[in-house]
Amino acid sequence: MKHLDNLPGDLIREILARLPVRLLLQLRIVCRSWNSLISSPEFANHHLHRSTLIQPPPLLCWKEAGRRGDIMHCSSQSLILYRQHQPTAFELYPADGIVIQGSCNGLLCLSQGFPFETLTLFNPSTRSVSPSVPFGCSHECGDDVFCGFGYDILHDQYKFVMSCSASSLITYSKVRSGAIVFTFGANPSWKTINPPVFPYDFVGTRNGIFVSGTLNWLVYHPTIDYFELEWFVLTFDLKTESFGRLCLPITRTRSDVIHMPRLQLHNNRLSVCYRTPNMRIICTLWIMKEYGVKESWIKLFEIPCVGMISPCVSVYISEDHHLLGLDESYRKFLVYNLRQNKLVSQVSHGYHTITIFLCHESLVSPSRYSPSTHALLGNCTQLSIRHKLGCI
């Protein structure tokens, strides 16, 4: 420590910002100044910014649809490098009824009850959990609910957006008049805003993908014949709290594209995967280099039909150009080498239906964006986690 005392504070800050979260949690006990630095919101944001630029391998988080039990997680690196699938439970209590609704800046947004009785923020890296906030969404929406979780950088706020694609059928709920925007914070707020003014129906997951301060869903025009479907991206700007739409590189079914495309996130950029009828090419992945600019869509790669029976959903692309995919038909994780055009491994996961959420490690504290536990204890059941590694 004598040598460290001679180092400038800014240099120590930069050195610590390059370390993984698990090590930083241990280094808090070195001295009071380090504990104060590592625990500060400013350092958490600085560390998050560096992690976003470097893009370390994310954690894969999921909860099997329709099943009781804990939220599971495993390392993307272990699947790619070691071809091992060793899922671990987070052991949130109570576990039943918990559903992952979104991932952003290392935080998972969890809901309990159907469709959303309470909302909770959880940081898998620090194992810290926020107090649960009552939400109270109407049951009338049923399976027509869509939602998303993201960060408004302008106001330093995390927001949860929820609406109903069949809102015209709702009789008494506040969803009837529009979408609901819930803002996490010491004084949480609910706001009803105008819904999209154009018709749409959903393709794939109804959980919005967060990118560049927006939430994004893949939808299509529901009144057109199936073979003339028009696909587009339904967007929600978290700063202006307004809906919009983006064009896709391929907007309709055609001879070289079959089935519905899948919207995804790769390297903090919006991407879309198209399945093809071509026996040689199983799917193509496009990426939007500059968010919101239609002309910036580029075809990133094509996956040949090499050792694959059915199309896969791409989950993550590593720096060394390995694609981690999910084969939904045969319940397997696939690792594909994009440079060598070779299927490297297939690892069975055994789950019936899962939606993978990528969670990058961070020090962001859920409690910083939540009301006090004391203020909410009388309103709803609070989540806790066993064997915490520490709370920030």
Coordinates of all heavy atoms in Angstrom, one line a residue, residues 163-171 175-178 195 200:
S163 N -47.2 -2.4 -23.0 CA -48.5 -2.1 -23.7 C -49.1 -3.4 -24.1 O -48.7 -4.5 -23.8 CB -48.2 -1.2 -24.9 OG -49.4 -0.7 -25.4
C164 N -50.2 -3.2 -24.9 CA -51.0 -4.4 -25.3 C -51.3 -4.2 -26.8 O -51.8 -3.2 -27.2 CB -52.3 -4.5 -24.5 SG -53.4 -5.8 -25.0
S165 N -50.9 -5.2 -27.6 CA -51.1 -5.1 -29.0 C -52.6 -5.2 -29.4 O -52.9 -5.0 -30.6 CB -50.3 -6.2 -29.8 OG -50.7 -7.5 -29.3
A166 N -53.4 -5.6 -28.4 CA -54.9 -5.7 -28.7 C -55.6 -4.7 -27.7 O -56.6 -5.0 -27.2 CB -55.4 -7.1 -28.5
S167 N -55.0 -3.5 -27.5 CA -55.5 -2.6 -26.6 C -57.0 -2.1 -26.9 O -57.7 -1.8 -26.0 CB -54.6 -1.3 -26.5 OG -54.5 -0.7 -27.7
S168 N -57.3 -2.2 -28.1 CA -58.7 -1.8 -28.5 C -59.7 -2.8 -27.9 O -60.9 -2.5 -27.8 CB -58.9 -1.8 -30.0 OG -58.6 -3.1 -30.6
L169 N -59.3 -4.0 -27.5 CA -60.2 -5.0 -26.9 C -60.3 -4.8 -25.4 O -61.2 -5.5 -24.8 CB -59.7 -6.4 -27.3 CG -59.5 -6.7 -28.7 CD1 -59.0 -8.1 -28.9 CD2 -60.9 -6.5 -29.5
I170 N -59.5 -4.0 -24.8 CA -59.5 -3.9 -23.3 C -60.6 -2.9 -22.9 O -60.8 -1.9 -23.5 CB -58.1 -3.3 -22.9 CG1 -57.0 -4.2 -23.4 CG2 -58.1 -3.2 -21.4 CD1 -57.1 -5.7 -23.0
T171 N -61.3 -3.3 -21.9 CA -62.5 -2.5 -21.5 C -62.2 -1.4 -20.4 O -62.5 -0.3 -20.6 CB -63.6 -3.4 -21.0 OG1 -63.1 -4.2 -19.9 CG2 -64.0 -4.4 -22.1
V175 N -54.4 0.4 -19.7 CA -53.7 0.1 -20.9 C -54.6 0.4 -22.1 O -54.2 0.7 -23.2 CB -53.4 -1.4 -21.0 CG1 -52.7 -1.8 -22.3 CG2 -52.5 -1.8 -19.8
R176 N -55.9 0.5 -21.8 CA -56.9 0.8 -22.9 C -56.6 2.1 -23.7 O -56.7 2.2 -24.9 CB -58.3 0.9 -22.3 CG -59.4 1.4 -23.2 CD -59.7 0.3 -24.2 NE -60.8 0.6 -25.1 CZ -60.7 1.4 -26.2 NH1 -59.5 1.8 -26.6 NH2 -61.7 1.6 -26.9
S177 N -56.0 3.1 -23.0 CA -55.8 4.4 -23.6 C -54.4 4.6 -24.1 O -54.0 5.6 -24.6 CB -56.1 5.5 -22.6 OG -55.4 5.3 -21.4
G178 N -53.5 3.6 -23.9 CA -52.2 3.7 -24.4 C -51.2 2.8 -23.7 O -51.6 1.8 -23.1
P195 N -50.2 5.1 -27.8 CA -49.7 3.9 -28.4 C -49.3 4.1 -29.8 O -49.6 5.2 -30.4 CB -50.9 2.9 -28.3 CG -52.1 3.8 -28.4 CD -51.7 5.1 -27.7
Y200 N -50.1 -3.5 -36.2 CA -48.9 -4.3 -36.1 C -49.2 -5.6 -35.3 O -50.2 -5.6 -34.6 CB -47.7 -3.6 -35.4 CG -48.1 -3.2 -34.0 CD1 -47.8 -4.0 -32.9 CD2 -48.7 -2.0 -33.8 CE1 -48.2 -3.6 -31.6 CE2 -49.1 -1.6 -32.5 CZ -48.8 -2.4 -31.4 OH -49.2 -2.0 -30.2

